[in-house]
Amino acid sequence: MTEQNTWSTVDTYLGDSLLAADPILDAVLDANAGAGLPAIDVAPNQGKLLYLLAKMKGASNMLEIGTLGGYSTIWLARALPETGRLVTLEFEHKHVVVAEDNLRMAGLAHKTEVLEGPALDSLALLEARGAEPFDFIFIDADKPNNPHYLKWALKLARPGAVIVADNIVRDGEVINPASTDDRVQGIRQFMELLSAEPRIDATAIQTVGSKGYDGFVLGIVTAQVETALPSL
């Protein structure tokens, strides 16, 4: 059995052991596949991790950067209290349509808002309309812009907010400073900014599973102070 087969088999075992059958989430993945969306959603056990992190935080106002078809959005929104709110940002119109349909199917449309357009524009819009500071932020969009997303996340977060960023290992390529992949270079800049930023206390974890070899950053915003991040 290859390493990838082992990782996938173990993921299936863990999911069967700890995740209840969920026809709604299964239907979401089917809808995404039927619409031709790329199969880059978080794995079910990763979705459950996001749910648990948001629950542990007691998050009531969440921001997701990168919606795709709304699979991770649903995991996060399920952690909200009845009066909670989640804003999720998506560039592709087709993805927005699928995600909104999925959120309605999951009974979560009243707790969620999908903003369509370039995420950096949507983040500026949130600031302009005086959005309430977020207490949980999930970054899972185009990796070259991750450094910018971190800056915005810190600007829009309240002290104590949890920030999670996915896909930061890239099959180990993150350690290659000569990589010509702009996604890898975006992650490397993101990590450099994290290491220099006093407003967030963070760590990173490598992962293996059905989605391959990757990892995520987990951090807590420690304060809102006027500290400029290094220029990009």
Side-chain angles (χ1 to χ4, degrees):
M1 184 177 287
T2 66
E3 282 187 337
Q4 181 57 63
N5 285 341
T6 299
W7 300 340
S8 296
T9 302
V10 171
D11 257 5
T12 298
Y13 166 75
L14 296 175
D16 290 347
S17 299
L18 300 174
L19 276 65
D22 197 319
I24 289 176
L25 286 172
D26 291 343
V28 167
L29 293 178
D30 288 343
N32 291 355
L37 272 60
I40 54 174
D41 317 87
V42 299
N45 54 348
Q46 295 169 336
K48 183 67 176 288
L49 175 63
L50 290 172
Y51 166 85
L52 290 172
L53 289 171
K55 274 285 191 183
M56 291 174 193
K57 170 60 186 170
S60 62
N61 190 36
M62 292 196 268
L63 172 64
E64 178 183 48
I65 304 174
T67 314
L68 194 61
Y71 183 78
S72 58
T73 317
I74 289 170
W75 275 111
L76 288 168
R78 285 177 169 181
L80 288 167
E82 189 53 38
T83 56
R85 190 76 176 158
L86 184 152
V87 178
T88 182
L89 315 181
E90 176 54 49
F91 176 73
E92 296 285 350
H93 176 70
K94 181 172 76 170
H95 299 179
V96 170
V97 172
V98 174
E100 289 181 335
D101 285 345
N102 286 335
L103 289 164
R104 280 191 290 270
M105 177 178 64
L108 293 166
H110 65 295
K111 293 185 179 183
T112 56
E113 177 183 9
V114 184
L115 291 182
E116 180 177 346
L120 294 176
D121 292 347
S122 296
L123 290 162
L125 174 64
L126 288 171
E127 181 185 42
R129 74 186 195 188
E132 180 183 348
F134 295 99
D135 51 22
F136 193 103
I137 299 173
F138 180 43
I139 302 172
D140 190 15
D142 55 311
K143 308 312 173 189
N145 273 321
N146 259 33
H148 300 290
Y149 297 150
L150 176 60
K151 288 187 173 185
W152 273 108
L154 289 167
K155 183 179 290 190
L156 295 173
R158 69 173 71 253
V162 172
I163 296 178
V164 181
D166 201 11
N167 306 129
I168 58 93
V169 172
R170 314 298 307 179
D171 284 320
E173 270 296 291
V174 71
I175 64 171
N176 179 10
S179 174
T180 59
D181 188 330
D182 59 355
R183 296 168 299 180
V184 172
Q185 292 300 334
I187 293 298
R188 287 181 60 86
Q189 288 185 18
F190 172 78
M191 297 298 290
E192 290 167 8
L193 291 177
L194 269 178
S195 71
E197 175 52 62
R199 291 174 294 174
I200 183 169
D201 192 9
T203 190
I205 302 294
Q206 299 182 79
T207 61
V208 295
S210 60
K211 298 295 182 176
Y213 172 36
D214 217 319
F216 64 93
V217 158
L218 175 64
I220 296 178
V221 177
T222 56
Q224 284 287 13
V225 295
E226 293 301 322
T227 302
L229 281 163
S231 59
L232 299 176

